[in-house]
Amino acid sequence: MAKKRFSETEIIAALKRSEAGLTYEQIGRELGVSKHTISAWKAKYGGMSVSEAQRLRQLEDENSRLKKLVADLSLDKEMLKAVISKNGWGS
């Protein structure tokens, strides 16, 4: 079965419905996810507004991009060190 990615708006709306009295099982049945997924959403997005959740997603994406950039630069540095030591250009 294909995995559907829910937007922050949909997640926050589901959590608001749980605060209104619906159980995780009922919400999960309507959305097609397990009660454990709803619980994980509550742990991550509980008490947030939609704008805060969207900002969190943006920051996570930026953090991921920066981590990849640092990894690439570290690899380049190590390759250059290896070339320098191999050719005897080092001091």
Side-chain angles (χ1 to χ4, degrees):
M1 183 173 199
K3 182 177 181 182
K4 181 180 188 299
R5 186 160 177 100
F6 290 92
S7 69
E8 291 89 1
T9 306
E10 293 170 320
I11 293 171
I12 300 291
L15 294 177
K16 296 279 186 205
R17 292 174 63 200
S18 74
E19 293 172 2
L22 290 176
T23 65
Y24 289 171
E25 291 86 6
Q26 292 170 330
I27 296 168
R29 197 174 312 116
E30 291 173 9
L31 296 176
V33 297
S34 71
K35 64 180 180 179
H36 304 290
T37 301
I38 305 289
S39 179
W41 288 348
K42 183 166 176 67
K44 186 172 183 179
Y45 296 106
M48 285 188 186
S49 67
V50 174
S51 63
E52 290 172 334
Q54 289 173 343
R55 180 68 179 146
L56 175 65
R57 170 84 50 98
Q58 289 174 347
L59 290 174
E60 287 173 343
D61 291 344
E62 182 181 5
N63 192 22
S64 174
R65 186 183 60 80
L66 291 173
K67 283 182 178 184
K68 288 177 186 175
L69 183 64
V70 168
D72 287 343
L73 290 174
S74 296
L75 183 60
D76 289 346
K77 179 182 171 188
E78 290 302 318
M79 289 188 324
L80 290 173
K81 279 184 179 181
V83 168
I84 288 172
S85 65
K86 181 180 179 183
N87 291 332
W89 292 338
S91 50

